[in-house]
Amino acid sequence: MQEAIILVGGKGTRLRPLTNHTPKPLLGVAGSSFIRHQIAKLMHAGVEHVVFATSYLAGLFEAEFKDFSQDLEISYAVEDVPLGTGGAIRNAGRLLRGGAPDAPVLVLNGDILSGVDLRALLAHHEDRAADVTLHLTRVTDPRAFGLVPTDEAGRVLSFLEKPKTAEECVTDQINAGCYVFRRSVLDAIPADREVSVEQETFPQLVAAGRRVFGHTTADYWRDLGTPLAFVRGSADLVTGRATSPLVGRPAEALIHPTAEVDPTARVTGGSTIGPHAVIGAHAVVDHSIIGGNVSVGAGARIHGSVVDHDSTIGGESTLREVVVGCHTHIGAQNELPAQLRLSCGLRIPARAVRITATAAACPTVH
Ligand code: GTP
């Protein structure tokens, strides 16, 4: 029986306020919660049992899957206090069914959108009789990542901190957040404290001469941990740049059948429009995620943004790379620039925030 562990216990601080009430893996991308895309991919690869390593808002995972009737067994390993990525893997290992010490166990970060062929990754691991096999991906600018150089046979040489100089960029390969562990190696991770698999477990295995291999591919790969990456990943699934068994044919937008989009509005760039959302006349929604029950007023322009459920965007307002929490009201004719995050429940009056000057009369008595 092929088994997998998905790490879903992180707080997702970089995606706040979206993650204030919803764990990152349960946020909607391209019409489904992200974790459902991962589950579909795992089932496609022949996985029959998945253990969710949960901590933050753990109960919401059980609620999401309580009616899950497909051919996959799901278990929940709940951490009362977060154990870090390594501790979480070890803790989830208690619930694996296959007891053989050499059994390969797939481990996935719960926030990576990846086109890697999981069967090929497993085969790579078996062929090399590896202790651990890491999926590695290549990046154009390695300075933002820890690097993972390998020898010609693909054996991992070291795990390097983020490079500070060009000379330190000895490779463009980085850890892609998806691994195969030999079961006995997983069981040897300490169980009584917080452990980082990236900073502790993997470097120690390499230093001890264990068989740690990289499987480097050019497949689609994106870490959805930041707001911009999150909207881009969703848009890529809709437009077909990234694939998921849950998304149909490539399209310009994914509009829920209960949403109302005015015929003069334009919804483009892989945008997703949630259930019962209303998009007004001449509004433009590009490269964005619009949640359920959101109302977008006439002439509003939304680009590269996430608007969480039950919020209102006033007519002729402009949002560029903005994150709007749930139940938020943005009045008409506001201009919200990049990197703004609006807390849940916030109310912004009409014409309150602008970048360009306005001739609107000053309502204050001087
Ligand atoms: P940020 O707070 O925005 O950095 O996000 P995060 O909390 O998700 O952290 P990060 O992106 O580094 O985590 C990578 C993966 O490991 C995610 O899928 C997290 O859910 C998961 N993860 C991180 N720490 C823990 C932990 O202590 N326990 C468990 N079970 N999972 C964790």
Side-chain angles (χ1 to χ4, degrees):
M1 174 195 253
Q2 183 58 57
E3 299 185 275
I5 294 168
I6 312 185
L7 300 176
V8 292
K11 290 197 172 81
T13 53
R14 289 167 295 160
L15 280 178
R16 286 174 181 164
L18 303 174
T19 46
N20 284 351
H21 314 290
T22 308
K24 181 166 45 174
L26 295 186
L27 292 173
V29 290
S32 304
S33 63
F34 182 62
I35 195 152
R36 284 186 184 258
H37 292 289
Q38 280 190 312
I39 291 285
K41 184 176 165 84
L42 287 171
M43 290 177 71
H44 199 67
V47 171
E48 294 167 279
H49 177 215
V50 166
V51 183
F52 290 155
T54 64
S55 176
Y56 177 64
L57 299 175
L60 296 184
F61 289 91
E62 297 195 37
E64 167 94 4
F65 288 99
K66 70 177 185 309
D67 299 325
F68 192 74
S69 57
Q70 294 177 44
D71 220 0
L72 177 80
E73 194 185 343
I74 299 177
S75 307
Y76 303 88
V78 184
E79 298 151 40
D80 297 332
V81 287
L83 292 171
T85 45
I89 294 169
R90 171 70 178 88
N91 186 53
R94 294 178 298 118
L95 301 184
L96 294 171
R97 307 258 184 270
D102 284 341
V105 181
L106 271 168
V107 178
L108 273 64
N109 278 3
D111 55 358
I112 302 293
L113 178 59
S114 161
V116 68
D117 178 341
L118 294 175
R119 286 185 197 269
L121 181 69
L122 284 161
H124 195 94
H125 178 83
E126 299 274 307
D127 289 349
R128 285 153 188 78
D131 289 312
V132 175
T133 303
L134 294 90
H135 175 218
L136 304 179
T137 190
R138 295 189 194 282
V139 288
T140 37
D141 183 4
R143 283 172 302 180
F145 304 91
L147 305 181
V148 188
T150 49
D151 68 13
E152 1 15 287
R155 196 156 176 165
V156 173
L157 297 170
S158 56
F159 290 86
L160 303 174
E161 296 288 321
K162 285 180 192 170
K164 292 190 185 68
T165 60
E167 294 73 50
E168 286 176 0
C169 293
V170 293
T171 176
D172 57 358
Q173 295 179 159
I174 65 160
N175 175 357
C178 174
Y179 325 109
V180 185
F181 272 80
R182 184 195 294 274
R183 174 71 198 268
S184 57
V185 173
L186 187 156
D187 287 341
I189 298 173
D192 53 349
R193 61 182 170 85
E194 192 177 331
V195 179
S196 162
V197 77
E198 300 87 352
Q199 284 164 25
E200 215 176 312
T201 312
F202 292 150
Q204 283 172 2
L205 287 169
V206 169
R210 302 296 296 265
R211 298 180 64 78
V212 180
F213 282 85
H215 176 58
T216 308
T217 75
D219 298 305
Y220 177 95
W221 184 87
R222 200 185 286 282
D223 176 345
L224 304 191
T226 63
L228 204 51
F230 186 71
V231 282
R232 285 190 176 149
S234 181
D236 287 345
L237 280 167
V238 174
T239 56
R241 249 190 101 207
T243 56
S244 160
L246 300 187
V247 181
R249 272 183 300 179
E252 192 59 18
L254 191 63
I255 298 172
H256 194 274
T258 60
E260 287 174 41
V261 178
D262 189 277
T264 61
R266 280 193 294 130
V267 183
T268 55
S271 294
T272 301
I273 310 292
H276 305 291
V278 177
I279 312 295
H282 302 289
V284 175
V285 178
D286 179 44
H287 223 87
S288 295
I289 301 175
I290 305 296
N293 294 314
V294 167
S295 166
V296 175
R301 304 176 77 83
I302 301 178
H303 180 87
S305 301
V306 190
V307 182
D308 210 356
H309 61 90
D310 295 290
S311 291
T312 314
I313 310 298
E316 294 173 32
S317 277
T318 304
L319 280 66
R320 176 164 290 275
E321 294 174 15
V322 170
V323 181
V324 180
C326 64
H327 297 96
T328 290
H329 170 79
I330 298 170
Q333 295 179 13
N334 282 290
E335 290 177 357
L336 305 182
Q339 298 191 18
L340 270 190
R341 290 163 192 249
L342 305 184
S343 307
C344 306
L346 192 79
R347 300 189 74 75
I348 298 183
R351 293 177 295 279
V353 182
R354 295 191 64 86
I355 314 168
T356 52
T358 170
C362 177
T364 311
V365 180
H366 295 280

